[in-house]
Amino acid sequence: MAAFEYIALDEAGRTRQGVLNGDSARQVRSRLRTLGLYPVEVHGVREQAVTPAGLNPSRRISAAALALLTRQLATLLRAGMPLDESLRALGAQTAARRLQAILADVRARITEGASLNEALSVYPGVFPEFYCSMVAAGEAGGRLEEVLERLADYTEARRALRQSLSTALIYPAILTLVSLLVVAVLLIYVVPEVVRVFQQTGQSLPWLTTALIASSQALRDFGWLLCLGAALALLLGRFLLGRTVIRARVDRMLLDMPFLGRITRMLHAARLTRSLAILTKSGVPLLEALEISGRMIINIPLRAAVDGAAVRVREGGRLHKALDDCGWFPPLLIQMLASGEESGELDDMLARAASYEENELQTVLTAAAALFEPLIILVMGAVVLVIVLAILLPIFEMNQLVGL
């Protein structure tokens, strides 16, 4: 039995869309007619999924949707519901047509004899390699419900960390943007109207006022060129970062920077240890877990370092020693991993190390944002002060002349 997506009309002429399971498109059309619907289009979900106009297997869904789906599937399996019936219930509950079609196709593949891991791996954008590897380990060990619950916890924790990072950075970014807009409005619209009075008097202007007038005129005449240059610079930067050699150099420079380098190392250390903890707890061998976790790191030098650590572990080395040789990971993290290996509780120590790195990262970002916000305000105040002084200086000179 396969999954078919349909478009049909009801008795009132309204369009209805959904997914039905059936042996053939003809059977699905017959079922639609018995439901009082007139079928307009019926096609197999799997056939549509590989076409550009249909479902894109590489297209992602939100972390919140994936976490909710995983949690619901784990709950249904815990309740004793069979896997195919759980997938059918989830497909009927979700309102997103794309996710509904994906679940129907996954269920169809399972009824044809495929494992859940094999069915999910068809959609790498929705269910990444890390996700499928954990599902495979859960199926092999007969602990699928437990593994799915851990996956849900991991997805929710990663989403929470991403939200906390965004929250810490969004206010300084908005404050910076507003400050730039205020200065631009002052220079383009306010300053020309004010200084026109001074130009009409014919008096010699202070150098600060002259510089302000020149800056205002340049921004009014060539502001569009500035915007165009910024847009072209962004496009060029995006193109260059798509080249592996240049991206590797930029990533290396980022790691060597004083503050951003520390943030980058902490972020990837937290991601690496968290994924290692959940993979090893789910029964994935340490070497395989290290290789999978390494592919989740987007920083090229760090990813190469983790790949090198995986090679050392394959040759019989210890995990903490292999990561220490990379030179990129915090010493405290290395010490925690060494303690976990010595005590035989590496899984728990990986989870503790991940929590520590996540908390430390959030603390550093919060402190940096708290310092950055008043700094922006001070810079903005200094710029406004310069503009005000440039306007007031000619007025002071005129008053002195009148007094004489």
Side-chain angles (χ1 to χ4, degrees), residues 155-169:
T155 308
E156 292 169 354
R158 186 171 179 180
R159 175 171 169 264
L161 177 61
R162 187 176 302 172
Q163 286 182 336
S164 65
L165 297 180
S166 301
T167 303
L169 297 176

Side-chain angles (χ1 to χ4, degrees), residues 21 32 81 110 166 259 279 328 343 377 394-395:
N21 293 324
L32 289 173
M81 185 177 293
I110 290 175
S166 301
F259 177 73
L279 283 170
W328 297 114
S343 61
I377 296 176
I395 298 177

Side-chain angles (χ1 to χ4, degrees), residues 308-330:
V311 172
R312 296 184 184 91
V313 172
R314 184 184 298 110
E315 294 173 351
R318 306 291 293 274
L319 175 62
H320 76 277
K321 180 61 177 176
L323 292 179
D324 190 24
D325 292 340
C326 301
W328 297 114
F329 295 98

Side-chain angles (χ1 to χ4, degrees), residues 231-245:
L232 291 177
L234 289 176
L235 292 176
L236 179 61
R238 184 174 181 180
F239 170 76
L240 293 177
L241 288 177
R243 302 174 65 88
T244 305
V245 176

Side-chain angles (χ1 to χ4, degrees), residues 259-275:
F259 177 73
L260 293 180
R262 181 188 177 192
I263 295 296
T264 303
R265 290 192 294 270
M266 292 172 63
L267 175 62
H268 287 89
R271 181 174 298 178
L272 176 66
T273 50
R274 179 65 67 185
S275 57

Side-chain angles (χ1 to χ4, degrees), residues 6-18 37-38 40:
Y6 67 85
I7 300 176
L9 300 176
D10 60 12
E11 296 178 353
R14 293 187 295 267
T15 302
R16 303 287 186 178
Q17 298 177 347
L37 300 175
Y38 177 76
V40 176

